[in-house]
Amino acid sequence: TGRRRARRRGGGVKLTVVITVFNERETIAEAVAQARDLPIEKQIVIVDNCSTDGTVDILKGLADDSMEIVFQPRNLGFGTSVARGIDLARGGYSYVHYTDLEYDPRCVFDMIELADREGLDAVFGSRLLNRKGESAFALVRERPFYLGTIVTTRLTNLFYGTDFTDIIGAKFYRTESFRALRPTNLTGIGFDWEVISKLCKYGCRVREVPVRYTPRTKGKRKIHAYDIIPAIATICRWRLFG
């Protein structure tokens, strides 16, 4: 695996920002700038999943001592990128920063505050927490892709007695808690749902905070309606057989 190392600056830091990338030439520079601009001592780890659209060249031009960049030798899946980034994390917490620019990364400060106060293993950034009283029909009518969020979130709540509003939004983990989950579905669409299922099944402490959400306007959406099928299959597998 090709890799550019950031200069080590002693021990751990409070936060590691893991930036996962695949063919995001239109948004990668802004995503990196958002991470750099977070006013907190941090480590930035970028994992490129073998982009072929010019993203690699942009990353090489952005590289400096403030970040570590991993260039995967082939497309190893989104889950591999997340796991690889958190494996390299020196921060006590790890925040997954998506390069589609849909989530405002400044939500990480609310996540840190809540995790510190309540000793949490993970915090989800929810697009729907502040809209909890609205009907599912109204939400889906507004944005049809919310259907997958609502179905998988309600199934998780049914299985584990939780009260989540959005398990697909922004992700923030206590670094050691994520590592202890040892996710196995690293190449398929089921990665996030395996992690969520394990957090619930193992009794980890998870809460939500609201996150500012703006649907992407640049690049190509990588989540599709049919992805709900492996998502549901993964949730059911880990509840019934995991």
Side-chain angles (χ1 to χ4, degrees):
T1 300
R3 181 156 138 193
R4 293 175 178 255
R5 283 193 173 273
R7 184 174 59 219
R8 297 294 183 184
R9 299 182 180 181
V13 293
K14 185 79 168 182
L15 178 69
T16 294
V17 180
V18 177
I19 304 177
T20 60
V21 191
F22 176 65
N23 286 349
E24 294 284 9
R25 66 182 180 184
E26 295 182 66
T27 59
I28 183 58
E30 186 173 351
V32 171
Q34 287 181 343
R36 280 174 164 162
D37 289 345
L38 289 173
I40 185 174
E41 184 182 4
K42 58 191 173 290
Q43 173 198 19
I44 299 174
V45 179
I46 303 172
V47 184
D48 178 82
N49 200 22
C50 199
S51 294
T52 58
D53 69 339
T55 297
V56 169
D57 292 332
I58 295 172
L59 282 173
K60 288 179 178 178
L62 293 172
D64 61 25
D65 287 342
S66 70
M67 67 184 75
E68 180 169 353
I69 306 177
V70 177
F71 296 105
Q72 303 278 42
R74 60 186 186 281
N75 190 328
L76 298 174
F78 169 73
T80 299
S81 296
V82 174
R84 178 65 170 148
I86 296 181
D87 181 59
L88 293 171
R90 291 182 285 115
Y93 296 119
S94 294
Y95 173 75
V96 181
H97 182 35
Y98 306 122
T99 46
D100 55 18
L101 308 179
E102 291 190 333
Y103 302 107
D104 184 345
R106 289 172 294 183
C107 68
V108 77
F109 297 107
D110 291 334
M111 293 172 162
I112 290 172
E113 181 183 2
L114 185 61
D116 277 348
R117 186 171 70 244
E118 300 192 11
L120 302 179
D121 297 289
V123 181
F124 299 157
S126 171
R127 299 163 290 180
L128 302 177
L129 187 60
N130 289 336
R131 307 180 65 179
K132 200 169 184 178
E134 298 184 37
S135 72
F137 176 76
L139 292 169
V140 172
R141 184 173 57 183
E142 174 188 328
R143 292 196 173 116
F145 56 82
Y146 276 156
L147 178 62
T149 299
I150 292 168
V151 170
T152 54
T153 299
R154 290 191 175 182
L155 186 60
T156 299
N157 289 340
L158 176 65
F159 279 164
Y160 297 104
T162 50
D163 191 31
F164 298 132
T165 60
D166 179 12
I167 63 172
I168 301 181
K171 299 295 191 301
F172 171 93
Y173 305 103
R174 186 177 298 274
T175 300
E176 290 305 319
S177 297
F178 178 90
R179 289 172 178 164
L181 298 177
R182 300 181 183 275
T184 58
N185 188 354
L186 300 178
T187 59
I189 194 66
F191 167 76
D192 272 334
W193 288 275
E194 177 189 343
V195 170
I196 292 159
S197 296
K198 285 183 171 180
L199 286 168
C200 295
K201 196 175 184 73
Y202 299 164
C204 296
R205 293 174 57 82
V206 185
R207 291 279 304 279
E208 292 180 305
V209 298
V211 64
R212 181 178 298 173
Y213 170 70
T214 306
R216 75 179 300 160
T217 57
K218 299 178 182 178
K220 184 178 180 181
R221 176 173 286 275
K222 298 180 176 67
I223 301 297
H224 307 285
Y226 53 76
D227 290 333
I228 192 174
I229 298 173
I232 291 173
T234 300
I235 292 170
C236 291
R237 174 199 165 197
W238 281 100
R239 177 62 180 87
L240 301 174
F241 308 111

